């Protein structure tokens, strides 16, 4: 028997379906536009030189692999990060983007097949137009900690992303030096030796340009000299995170935990060596999954960037920065919280159910119950 539905019923069904689609669209896509639109580039009024360089920083994306990540968790996190990143790119239009390590969660354990799948996912989620330069920096989850890195793991990452243990990147007289944190053990290993040689060359180029020495053109910087900005995965040596007081800094219990040199931060001797050779004005890193801003005694500002992955941080963020030769300006952008999205879902579902219950009239059941009770009483 074919059941025909009235036009009113079809309209109600269509309206309910549109409400559900609208709810899904807002919570899974639109909310990124609403939240990220509130974050803007920091003020450039203190920039005294030419147009400042617009840079976006993020860290610890930790794309899930096949060993630890459940497929549903993997799908949700990739969707969130992809939406957040592409929305941020549309709003901010940065010139340079630096991803400060741990692109992958299981890069060091991945087979060639899994690693290639990793790379395809990364390039899809974090794709940029040709006028934006994206620079990934290697992290311990990409190739391993110092003790477990093999030449194969290092070369595989460097080949795919066209990186090296130490790099110099220049843009309109602003200079960035990126390093492989795991190559800073200073123990003469194959990775540390190559990094030391490259570090010395970059140091010489910086000094040549700073002092305007009669060096060859290949040894001069691309543009005028300005103090470089150091980029890496690990933070510089510090005892713990107790000095960190950012909105996205670690909980108190985590702040109190002492950092292990070479694991949670650079070794103290490596930090001193690096600061002496590069003499940076700023340092940016990730690794801790929490935000931090430290003003070191030597006048250097250090920023740790929160994890970009909701799996590691309930309030993830990224950073926008303007750089000129002699100044900088920083703005931290906070992304939607999963708690907020879940709360919106629950509230709207409860409102929907509330109005559905109001429209439900139990007269039929009340009348039937009354007649049933009355008939039973009459029979007695």
């Amino acid at each position: 028997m074919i059941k025909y539905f009235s036009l009113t019923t079809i309209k109600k069904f269509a309206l309910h379906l549109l409400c559900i689609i609208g709810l899904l669209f807002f919570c899974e896509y639109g909310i990124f536009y609403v939240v990220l639109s509130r974050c803007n580039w920091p003020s450039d009024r203190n920039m005294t030189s030419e147009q400042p360089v617009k840079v976006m920083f993020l860290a610890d994306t930790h794309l899930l692999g096949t060993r630890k990540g459940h497929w549903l968790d993997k799908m949700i996190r990739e969707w969130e990060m992809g939406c957040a990143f592409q929305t941020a790119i549309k709003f901010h239009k940065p010139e340079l983007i630096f991803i400060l390590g741990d692109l992958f969660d299981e890069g060091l354990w991945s087979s060639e097949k899994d690693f290639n799948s990793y790379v395809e996912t990364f390039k899809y989620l974090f794709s940029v137009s040709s006028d934006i330069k994206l620079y990934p920096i290697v992290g311990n989850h990409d190739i391993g900690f110092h003790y477990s890195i093999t030449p194969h793991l290092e070369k595989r990452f460097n080949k795919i992303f066209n990186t090296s243990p130490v790099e110099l990147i220049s843009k309109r007289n602003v200079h960035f030096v990126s390093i492989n944190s795991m190559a800073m053990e200073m123990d003469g290993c194959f990775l540390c030796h190559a990094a030391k040689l490259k570090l010395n060359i970059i140091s010489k180029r910086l000094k040549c340009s700073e002092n305007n020495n009669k060096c060859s053109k290949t040894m001069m910087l691309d543009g005028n000299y300005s103090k470089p900005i150091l980029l890496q995965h690990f933070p510089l040596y510090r005892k713990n995170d107790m000095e960190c007081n950012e909105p996205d800094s670690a909980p108190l219990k985590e702040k109190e935990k002492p950092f292990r040199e070479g694991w949670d931060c650079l070794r103290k001797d490596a930090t001193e060596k690096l600061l002496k050779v590069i003499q940076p004005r700023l340092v940016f890193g990730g690794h801790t999954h929490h935000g931090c801003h430290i003003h070191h005694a030597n006048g250097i500002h250090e920023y740790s960037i929160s994890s970009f992955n909701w799996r590691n941080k309930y309030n993830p963020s990224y950073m926008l920065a303007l750089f000129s030769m002699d100044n900088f300006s920083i703005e931290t952008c906070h992304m939607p919280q999963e708690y907020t999205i879940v709360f919106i879902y629950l509230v709207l579902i409860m409102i929907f159910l509330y109005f559905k219950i109001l429209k439900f009239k139990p007269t039929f059941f009340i009348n039937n119950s009354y007649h049933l009770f009355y008939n039973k009483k009459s029979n007695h």
Side-chain angles (χ1 to χ4, degrees), residues 20 38 140 197 255:
I20 294 171
R38 295 157 55 189
N140 56 284
L197 293 176
K255 287 183 180 181

Side-chain angles (χ1 to χ4, degrees), residues 110-372:
S110 297
S111 65
E112 294 304 307
K113 181 181 177 182
D114 288 342
F115 188 77
N116 291 333
S117 176
Y118 248 150
V119 172
E120 287 180 11
T121 302
F122 175 84
K123 290 185 175 180
Y124 173 74
L125 296 177
F126 299 97
S127 61
V128 295
S129 57
S130 58
D131 59 332
I132 299 174
K133 297 296 182 183
L134 187 146
Y135 296 96
I137 294 172
V138 69
N140 56 284
H141 273 264
D142 300 316
I143 62 173
F145 280 104
H146 170 262
Y147 73 93
S148 63
I149 297 173
T150 64
H152 169 69
L153 291 174
E154 190 230 353
K155 288 179 181 177
R156 183 172 68 175
F157 186 93
N158 290 345
K159 182 179 179 181
I160 290 292
F161 295 106
N162 192 27
T163 60
S164 64
V166 183
E167 290 185 271
L168 175 63
I169 300 160
S170 298
K171 181 80 172 180
R172 289 202 301 277
N173 302 319
V174 177
H175 309 290
F176 304 89
V177 178
S178 69
I179 66 167
N180 179 339
S181 297
M182 292 75 70
M184 293 293 114
E185 288 291 308
M186 308 295 179
D187 62 357
C189 72
F190 78 96
L191 188 58
C192 300
H193 179 69
K196 183 179 179 180
L197 293 176
K198 194 75 180 287
L199 201 59
N200 289 335
I201 293 172
I202 290 175
S203 175
K204 188 175 180 180
R205 291 185 65 186
L206 289 166
K207 289 177 180 177
C208 281
S209 295
E210 180 184 12
N211 301 321
N212 201 19
N213 293 339
K214 293 182 179 179
C215 301
S216 64
K217 289 185 178 180
T218 56
M219 290 304 296
M220 300 295 284
L221 293 175
D222 181 13
N224 298 326
Y225 172 82
S226 64
K227 274 199 165 187
I229 298 159
L230 181 61
L231 311 176
Q232 58 177 335
H233 180 56
F234 286 3
L236 297 177
Y237 169 80
R238 59 181 184 244
K239 292 181 179 180
N240 51 37
D241 265 355
M242 285 303 293
E243 293 183 46
C244 307
N245 296 304
E246 303 302 293
D248 56 351
S249 61
L252 182 59
K253 286 186 178 180
E254 287 192 49
K255 287 183 180 181
E256 294 172 342
K257 289 181 181 178
F259 277 8
R260 299 165 297 171
E261 295 183 44
W263 293 84
D264 303 310
C265 62
L266 282 187
R267 287 172 29 158
K268 190 174 183 179
D269 59 344
T271 297
E272 292 171 353
K273 174 74 173 177
L274 202 56
L275 294 180
K276 182 180 178 181
V277 172
I278 298 298
Q279 296 182 358
R281 52 173 164 152
L282 289 166
V283 180
F284 290 88
H287 190 54
T288 65
H289 297 175
H290 302 294
C292 185
H293 175 209
I294 293 177
H295 192 194
H296 292 281
N298 52 12
I300 296 174
H301 290 266
E302 181 182 8
Y303 293 89
S304 294
I305 315 295
S306 290
S307 174
F308 196 73
N309 192 329
W310 280 261
R311 194 170 191 256
N312 301 325
K313 186 79 174 169
Y314 79 91
N315 56 340
S317 61
Y318 58 92
M319 188 171 283
L320 300 177
L322 297 179
F323 298 109
S324 64
M325 289 180 62
D326 52 7
N327 217 326
F328 69 94
S329 189
I330 302 290
E331 181 71 30
T332 299
C333 296
H334 299 278
M335 298 190 289
Q337 297 183 16
E338 283 185 326
Y339 299 157
T340 303
I341 296 173
V342 172
F343 178 76
I344 293 172
Y345 269 124
L346 291 176
V347 168
L348 292 180
I349 289 172
M350 288 174 67
I351 291 173
F352 176 78
L353 292 175
Y354 175 75
F355 282 106
K356 290 294 289 182
I357 291 170
L358 279 182
K359 289 183 179 180
F360 174 69
K361 297 179 180 180
T363 310
F364 172 78
F365 295 100
I366 294 172
N367 290 338
N368 277 324
S369 300
Y370 173 78
H371 289 303
L372 182 63

